[in-house]
Amino acid sequence: MFDENRVCAVVAESSAQEALAAARLALRRTRVIELRLDFLASEDEFAGLLRGIQPLAGQATLIATCRRKEAGGRFEGSIARQIARLVLAVGSGCSWCDLEIETVERLNAATLRKTLGDVRLIISSHDFARTPARLGQLRRRLESAGGDLVKIAAFTRNYREFVRLLQTAHGRSNVILAPMGDLGQPGRILALREGSPLAYATVTRAVAPGQLPIETLQSVYRVERHNRRTQLYGVIGNPIAHSLSPLMHNAAFTLRHTNAVFVPFLVRDLGDFLKTVKPLRVSGLSVTIPHKQQILRFLDECDPLAAEIGAVNTVVCRAGKLHGYNTDHLGVLESLGRRIDLEGARILVYGAGGAGRTVAHAVGRAGAHVFFCARRPEAARAAARDFGAEVVDRKDLRDLDFDAIVNATPIGMMPRGDESPLDAAELRANLVFDLIYRPMRTRLLRLAERRGIDTLSGVEMFVAQGVAQWELWTGENAPVKAMRAEVTAALAREESQAPPRRGDS
Ligand code: NAP
């Protein structure tokens, strides 16, 4: 139905001029545009838009929507005025109208068709608080209203709701999915894979929680190529928005022409999320903060090295079973191990979570003496016991020298890039290694540089662990150079846009 483009750009602006500019911008990426008539501030702006869209109508499929307030839109006029706006929009070239079920049910379907003229109809439902309990019933209600397609926009409070919503489109071609909310956001990426005929995206601003920019959907996730055979990978964590894993892994899939997508999942409750693995046919996962240790109890099998470290950052899903691995270990050796001779080196690990334990295990095996310092002394003691390391009190750091200090806490990670886990006076080492890779130059690394200490960002480790993950999932050699280039380019872009920071000279 929308063969040429399956991503619909939503144009929602208060003035005709802005709406037309946004529509022209959208045309660079898609031939399907939704015009949110309810966003226009006045009848004059509405008239201005109508005058301007006629030339666009020949170039794109235009969907007119004048969403009423009670369905989450901005239109406060009567139903008669709402329909009158749609009639004029159809007269100006819109070939589709989207109407909320509440309005359609107040009108006679045949009369509505006659009034709107030669137009196709999307009948939609919206729930901004939850995913309706009886989705099958809701779908049938929407279908019986006499449209050409139905649309279900629903907030997903947990992954149980998420799966239920996505499954509504399985085996059908008439159900448009619009999952909402921070948990629902991956559903915007997966809608076309799950069978939705359209995925909605923003041009200038999001009009529903969780909507993503059109360039992200098309260039990073290549959603228009998705089908039921598209393999699904993802990163799970909380927070997750900072992760560059989607850029890195999707770039590798694109380069290798693999029918696969890698999606960020915000996961607060691991048990809830893992119920998606079978119904959504998940092939593999990256695991990040704070789930690397808790994931162990959900695994069907764990690689002995990962079990020994007590942290898993990679899951391979085979026939619905979860197999855990640790590729951070390799990442540490590929980065820190290339900068210093680990044999006999004194290495302080600040932070005793999953990554801290991995560093201790990797460098300890290579012959280093490991020292743990953590905000909870009992966590430092437990990690030290497990890896034959020593515990150091924070107050003693100003008097102790190390070959390398490793930050294994999230302090200094975006968006709190102005924080440092350690003070300048506590940095007594030849090298400071910050596991954080976003930003590339953390405040800790800048403090170290100012003291003339060598620094190592988490970027190299990040790329090395990602390469090993990709190879575990696909069984192929990863395109290492392309993956590194994608990550460093994104970080460089970000650094060049960052405002001057505290402590920079
Ligand atoms: P984790 O398992 O949650 O452990 C985090 C550690 O940091 C815990 O010891 C925690 O202490 C401590 N911590 C958190 N907030 C703190 C604070 N405000 N003050 C002092 N200590 C604090 O996380 P993880 O997986 O080890 O990851 C740690 C960091 O390493 C993250 O920033 C992650 O992005 C980074 N990392 C980077 C790479 C890479 O490839 N470059 C790979 C892995 C991890 P409590 O136990 O007391 O909460």
Side-chain angles (χ1 to χ4, degrees), residues 337 340-347 363-369 403:
I340 62 167
D341 182 2
L342 294 172
E343 174 76 49
R346 285 165 56 86
I347 297 185
V363 302
R365 264 201 176 181
H369 298 298
D403 291 293

Side-chain angles (χ1 to χ4, degrees), residues 159 181-186 189 212 221 233-247 262-268 273 285-292 313 413-415 437-438 462:
Y159 281 102
D182 51 8
L183 296 192
Q185 192 170 64
I189 302 165
L212 285 163
Y221 298 105
Y233 296 89
V235 55
I236 56 174
N238 181 16
I240 201 61
H242 73 282
S243 175
L244 290 183
S245 291
L247 271 185
F262 185 98
V263 173
F265 291 100
L266 175 68
V267 173
R268 300 190 181 99
F273 172 78
L285 295 168
S286 283
V287 184
T288 188
I289 195 168
H291 301 307
K292 287 185 182 178
N313 76 322
M413 186 164 84
M414 291 272 284
Y437 63 87
R438 200 171 185 183
F462 175 69

Side-chain angles (χ1 to χ4, degrees), residues 38-61:
D38 52 313
F39 272 67
L40 293 162
S42 66
E43 289 301 328
D44 280 352
E45 296 298 346
F46 173 59
L49 179 71
L50 289 190
R51 281 195 298 278
I53 60 169
Q54 276 164 357
L56 299 178
Q59 304 173 57
T61 300

Side-chain angles (χ1 to χ4, degrees), residues 178-398:
M180 294 192 283
D182 51 8
L183 296 192
Q185 192 170 64
R188 299 274 173 178
I189 302 165
L190 297 176
L192 298 180
R193 175 187 188 255
E194 301 307 314
S196 173
L198 274 184
Y200 283 79
T202 62
V203 187
T204 53
R205 63 160 122 176
V207 294
Q211 260 180 5
L212 285 163
I214 189 162
E215 59 268 31
T216 306
L217 279 193
Q218 290 182 326
S219 304
V220 179
Y221 298 105
R222 298 156 295 124
V223 298
E224 277 153 320
R225 297 192 197 166
H226 294 179
N227 52 39
R228 293 285 293 160
R229 290 181 303 285
T230 304
Q231 291 171 42
L232 171 59
Y233 296 89
V235 55
I236 56 174
N238 181 16
I240 201 61
H242 73 282
S243 175
L244 290 183
S245 291
L247 271 185
M248 177 171 69
H249 288 301
N250 284 315
F253 286 133
T254 305
L255 202 84
R256 292 283 194 255
H257 304 288
T258 313
N259 184 9
V261 64
F262 185 98
V263 173
F265 291 100
L266 175 68
V267 173
R268 300 190 181 99
D269 177 344
L270 207 43
D272 171 48
F273 172 78
L274 290 172
K275 293 199 186 88
T276 65
V277 168
K278 270 191 198 163
L280 295 186
R281 309 173 318 284
V282 177
S283 301
L285 295 168
S286 283
V287 184
T288 188
I289 195 168
H291 301 307
K292 287 185 182 178
Q293 289 166 280
Q294 294 98 304
I295 187 97
L296 272 118
R297 67 189 173 91
F298 294 97
L299 299 175
D300 296 292
E301 249 179 55
C302 188
D303 179 65
L305 179 76
E308 206 176 300
I309 298 167
V312 158
N313 76 322
T314 309
V315 174
V316 180
C317 311
R318 293 188 201 104
K321 297 251 186 287
L322 308 181
H323 304 258
Y325 299 86
N326 186 308
T327 67
D328 282 337
H329 191 272
L330 190 81
V332 174
L333 297 177
E334 291 273 313
S335 50
L336 185 59
R338 285 176 191 242
R339 289 290 292 273
I340 62 167
D341 182 2
L342 294 172
E343 174 76 49
R346 285 165 56 86
I347 297 185
L348 172 74
V349 180
Y350 184 65
R357 295 172 68 88
T358 304
V359 173
H361 189 278
V363 302
R365 264 201 176 181
H369 298 298
V370 180
F371 300 80
F372 267 109
C373 181
R375 68 171 164 189
R376 288 184 303 114
E378 67 276 21
R381 278 197 296 275
R385 235 185 352 259
D386 288 349
F387 300 105
E390 289 179 42
V391 177
V392 174
D393 256 19
R394 175 90 190 241
K395 63 174 170 36
D396 295 331
L397 288 185
R398 287 160 193 262

Side-chain angles (χ1 to χ4, degrees), residues 19-40:
L20 290 167
R24 281 192 285 270
L25 206 61
L27 267 181
R28 294 189 197 164
R29 296 211 154 255
T30 184
R31 301 283 145 189
V32 185
I33 298 174
E34 180 188 41
L35 298 169
R36 288 293 299 263
L37 308 179
D38 52 313
F39 272 67
L40 293 162

